[in-house]
Amino acid sequence: MAKKRSLWRLRFWRGVGVGTAVFLFAALLISPTLQALILAWSVTGNLPSAEYGYAIAAAGDVNGDGRADLIVGSPKYESDIYTGGAAFVYHGYNGGLSDQPNWTGGSDLKGARYGFAAASAGDINHDGYDDIIIGAYRYNNGQSEEGRVYLYLGSADGLHPEPAWQFESDQKEAHLGYAVASAGDVNNDGFDDVLIGARWYQETLISEGAAFLFFGSADGLSDTPDWTAVGGQAGAAFGTAVAAAGDTNHDGYDDILIGAPFFDNTLENAGAAYLFLGSETGPGNGAAWQATGSQAGDLFGSALAAGDFNDDNASDLLVGGPHSSDDVDDEGGVFLYLGSSSGLMSSTAVWSTFGGQAGALFGTAVAVGDVNGDALADILVGAPNCTQDQSNEGCVFLYLGMPGSVSATTSWTSQGNKADTAYGISTAVIGSVNGDGYDEIAVGAPQYRFDRDLVGRAFVYYGAEQLIEQVYVYLPVAVQTD
């Protein structure tokens, strides 16, 4: 685990002992902490058992007003279609986030689970408005549970009501759309690209999983993937998690990160994460880097994120293993790996932290952003089975970035405050919704109860400035005088 960096100022006192002069060093520890984050916004789902908040994500800026917008997924939402699912987008403005959704999308098929996965797509057609992508991993259209993804384009009025693009796996039970993400600009052509996971896809091996990359263009996304990778091991579930990796080798091309949590190395379901490097023609055929879980059943690679934590202009990788164990079973862990302009990344984590509580599933969700406005990347971790004063209420933990490192201790934490809310199953750092320069934190709690109904709730906390905490530490030193 990385050491917490702090500033020290020394004060001295002199005492006298028998035959000995005793000096006491009083060290003033100046430690950066975070001002209490304010709950700025929360919305409760309006239908029982709809799992509102199961997915929560930054939408980017879909209407080009300079304020960050928010996506909330509700994969069991039911209006005219039984558990077809829905997704809601809320616009940011000077006062925060709108109370009512500015855009709503849904599925036309029973049980599709539309909204199970949601993400900003970046600006895929370079028109100045961010776009979004929504996954419905159980969509059926000729093949049961083949999955479908939808792209919606932004505009000055917000998102268009109808999708500009759709894609299906055309394979039974492939679960395409289980994970979706912007890929950044992998081929550096000025258009953002889209990455989609299909965790049970089969090319040659049963349930090996696959990931599909689509290049952005002025005409939108193509009908067929521009790049495909598969798990290469039966049951690996490659594509369960996908993420933009940023530019890990500082070559001008964005890279992509893909998780396979059921991958077996010498240990069953240890899990793995793979990095593929961008280039003018897209990623190559093989992974440039791979890391695996260290214990059977870790499910390493279930959650992914990236940011530059050591200010070297090379993006670094964050991987969650929600069943990893350090001291207790299934506490969960999060692991940080540094990028390098040399292109050589270590498979050994430079920083890691664990949930510290059996069954907490710490690392189920991870996110990166700048919550305190110091231009350093911060880490947000969700633990949906964490217990504080309520059983399995769920928790989130924030670790502040420090020069060249990450704090070893949490700077802020929050809980579901009701039993069994699944608070923290989804987390995001969504940019500034009110334009104050601090990124906001968003958290989903899809099992949150209101009037005894499981309606779910989404929360947004305003980012805040960093404060300075002063602590004295006294260190006695004896000096012989006779």
Side-chain angles (χ1 to χ4, degrees):
M1 183 177 294
K3 294 181 179 178
K4 183 176 181 179
R5 298 190 177 192
S6 304
L7 300 174
W8 294 81
R9 294 179 183 172
L10 301 181
R11 301 288 187 268
F12 301 94
W13 284 264
R14 184 179 184 275
V16 180
V18 178
T20 301
V22 179
F23 292 85
L24 296 180
F25 286 71
L28 175 60
L29 172 63
I30 302 176
S31 178
T33 60
L34 196 66
Q35 179 176 304
L37 302 187
I38 298 171
L39 176 61
W41 177 94
S42 65
V43 169
T44 304
N46 60 4
L47 288 179
S49 303
E51 294 189 342
Y52 178 89
Y54 190 92
I56 201 161
D61 182 6
V62 299
N63 59 345
D65 65 352
R67 303 290 186 262
D69 306 319
L70 176 71
I71 313 172
V72 180
S74 183
K76 292 186 178 180
Y77 191 88
E78 177 182 328
S79 53
D80 297 331
I81 306 298
Y82 177 72
T83 65
F88 309 91
V89 171
Y90 301 84
H91 291 171
Y93 69 104
N94 288 343
L97 282 169
S98 54
D99 293 329
Q100 298 296 322
N102 300 97
W103 177 92
T104 300
S107 170
D108 58 357
L109 187 71
K110 173 182 175 181
R113 300 296 196 270
Y114 177 103
F116 180 88
S120 171
D123 185 0
I124 64 101
N125 56 356
H126 198 55
D127 64 352
Y129 302 99
D130 286 333
D131 313 312
I132 70 165
I133 189 163
I134 306 291
Y137 78 96
R138 293 187 63 180
Y139 193 92
N140 304 323
N141 186 24
Q143 295 84 23
S144 65
E145 298 187 18
E146 60 173 313
R148 175 185 278 188
V149 291
Y150 305 77
L151 175 77
Y152 298 88
L153 298 180
S155 74
D157 297 321
L159 295 169
H160 290 276
E162 298 299 324
W165 174 90
Q166 301 174 62
F167 180 73
E168 300 169 7
S169 72
D170 294 328
Q171 185 181 106
K172 180 181 178 181
E173 297 177 355
H175 285 188
L176 179 111
Y178 193 88
V180 296
S182 170
D185 187 0
V186 176
N187 57 349
N188 196 23
D189 63 353
F191 299 92
D192 287 330
D193 309 318
V194 165
L195 187 60
I196 298 166
R199 65 169 181 163
W200 299 136
Y201 189 88
Q202 175 180 331
E203 184 174 83
T204 58
L205 300 171
I206 295 173
S207 299
E208 60 182 313
F212 303 96
L213 179 68
F214 296 84
F215 293 152
S217 75
D219 297 323
L221 304 180
S222 62
D223 293 332
T224 57
D226 294 287
W227 176 88
T228 301
V230 295
Q233 182 185 96
F238 181 89
T240 294
V242 297
D247 186 358
T248 62
N249 57 351
H250 194 46
D251 66 350
Y253 299 93
D254 286 336
D255 310 317
I256 57 176
L257 187 60
I258 301 170
F262 292 96
F263 176 83
D264 304 332
N265 45 28
T266 57
L267 302 167
E268 184 178 4
N269 296 340
Y274 303 85
L275 175 71
F276 296 84
L277 299 179
S279 74
E280 185 176 359
T281 57
N285 292 327
W289 172 90
Q290 174 183 344
T292 59
S294 61
Q295 297 171 331
D298 275 0
L299 301 192
F300 178 91
S302 293
L304 307 168
D308 185 1
F309 291 91
N310 58 347
D311 289 325
D312 65 350
N313 295 315
S315 187
D316 311 311
L317 306 179
L318 192 66
V319 182
H323 291 270
S324 297
S325 299
D326 186 31
D327 295 322
V328 292
D329 291 342
D330 295 328
E331 58 181 312
V334 175
F335 309 86
L336 178 64
Y337 303 85
L338 294 183
S340 169
S341 58
S342 70
L344 299 175
M345 288 187 61
S346 173
S347 59
T348 301
V350 299
W351 179 93
S352 62
T353 188
F354 295 85
Q357 185 181 99
L361 303 186
F362 179 91
T364 293
V366 295
V368 173
D370 182 10
V371 176
N372 59 345
D374 63 356
L376 299 172
D378 308 317
I379 293 174
L380 184 65
V381 182
N385 282 11
C386 164
T387 294
Q388 296 294 329
D389 55 352
Q390 303 285 338
S391 175
N392 295 330
E393 60 185 311
C395 309
V396 294
F397 304 87
L398 179 68
Y399 299 83
L400 289 182
M402 306 183 71
S405 185
V406 181
S407 173
T409 57
T410 55
S411 300
W412 177 83
T413 186
S414 181
Q415 300 84 37
N417 294 324
K418 287 187 178 184
D420 304 310
T421 68
Y423 179 91
I425 201 169
S426 56
T427 61
V429 181
I430 63 172
S432 177
V433 301
N434 59 356
D436 65 356
Y438 303 108
D439 288 348
E440 289 20 305
I441 287 173
V443 183
Q447 300 299 319
Y448 190 93
R449 288 183 180 272
F450 185 76
D451 288 342
R452 298 187 179 182
D453 288 329
L454 287 171
V455 289
R457 178 173 284 186
F459 304 80
V460 171
Y461 304 84
Y462 280 157
E465 66 180 330
Q466 182 172 291
L467 300 179
I468 297 297
E469 178 183 16
Q470 299 183 352
V471 180
Y472 283 98
V473 179
Y474 297 93
L475 303 173
V477 176
V479 180
Q480 187 69 37
T481 60
D482 54 3

